Amino acid sequence: MIVGVVALLLVLAVPLTGGSFQRLGEIPVRGWVLLPIALLLQVLLFSVLSDVPAWLGFPVHLLTYALAAVFLWLNRAVRGVPLIALGAALNGVTIALNHGTLPASEWAVRTAGLPADKGFSNSGMLENPTLPWLGDIFAIPSGLPFANVFSVGDILVLAGVAVLVLANSHSKEPAKSQN
């Protein structure tokens, strides 16, 4: 949720920083349909459907990362995309090694005021997680808007979105698509 909110704020910052939405619109985007499919599957998996069993949730969650990875690879020449890809890769590898769930620290979950156990989830406290330092170890405290947990990968994704939106909205020439 916080990634989407910050991304929206970055887009709103374009005119405030002298950028141009037209320049953003000129960025060549390849395989664009992959990203909305991945996002739709994640929304269905974690927000719409309830009590998804892990045997189904795990492969679908990995599929969403695979779709996003192909999209990012196709658009790797666009400024900001390599940083987004690095953050997504850190999250994706950690999720894959933890059977479909990004491990969350107890401190972060408690600080954000989230429930400790809710079945298969994109983020949750795990017993003996692999790469726990790449999991959701940061938190926006409960009581603040958009209280939630987030990871190093999420921070890199947001940094990449900032570069993508702000640098490309100020550039005279959008990044060229690779053949």
Side-chain angles (χ1 to χ4, degrees):
M1 171 71 121
I2 190 65
V3 172
V5 171
V6 172
L8 178 62
L9 291 173
L10 287 167
V11 169
L12 294 175
V14 168
L16 298 175
T17 61
S20 164
F21 287 121
Q22 181 176 350
R23 288 189 192 114
L24 282 178
E26 293 170 354
I27 297 172
V29 179
R30 298 174 65 201
W32 67 269
V33 74
L34 297 171
L35 198 56
I37 291 171
L39 293 173
L40 176 64
L41 285 172
Q42 281 208 359
V43 168
L44 286 172
L45 187 61
F46 299 116
S47 298
V48 175
L49 303 176
S50 61
D51 299 325
V52 173
W55 65 265
L56 176 62
F58 179 36
V60 172
H61 197 189
L62 290 183
L63 173 64
T64 67
Y65 272 83
L67 292 170
V70 171
F71 171 81
L72 292 168
W73 177 257
L74 291 173
N75 293 287
R76 65 192 180 276
V78 177
R79 280 178 296 259
V81 168
L83 195 52
I84 295 168
L86 176 60
L90 291 178
N91 284 348
V93 166
T94 307
I95 286 167
L97 292 174
N98 286 285
H99 309 288
T101 300
L102 191 64
S105 75
E106 182 181 348
W107 173 86
V109 170
R110 189 177 54 245
T111 301
L114 300 176
D117 186 12
K118 57 180 182 176
F120 181 76
S121 175
N122 64 329
S123 172
M125 292 188 306
L126 302 175
E127 198 171 309
N128 301 315
T130 302
L131 303 176
W133 57 90
L134 292 178
D136 286 330
I137 59 171
F138 305 107
I140 298 172
S142 64
L144 293 178
F146 310 109
N148 209 337
V149 294
F150 58 100
S151 67
V152 171
D154 294 334
I155 293 169
L156 292 173
V157 167
L158 286 175
V161 170
V163 170
L164 187 147
V165 170
L166 298 176
N168 288 303
S169 71
H170 289 84
S171 174
K172 299 294 182 213
E173 287 185 42
K176 304 264 188 288
S177 178
Q178 290 186 354
N179 294 325

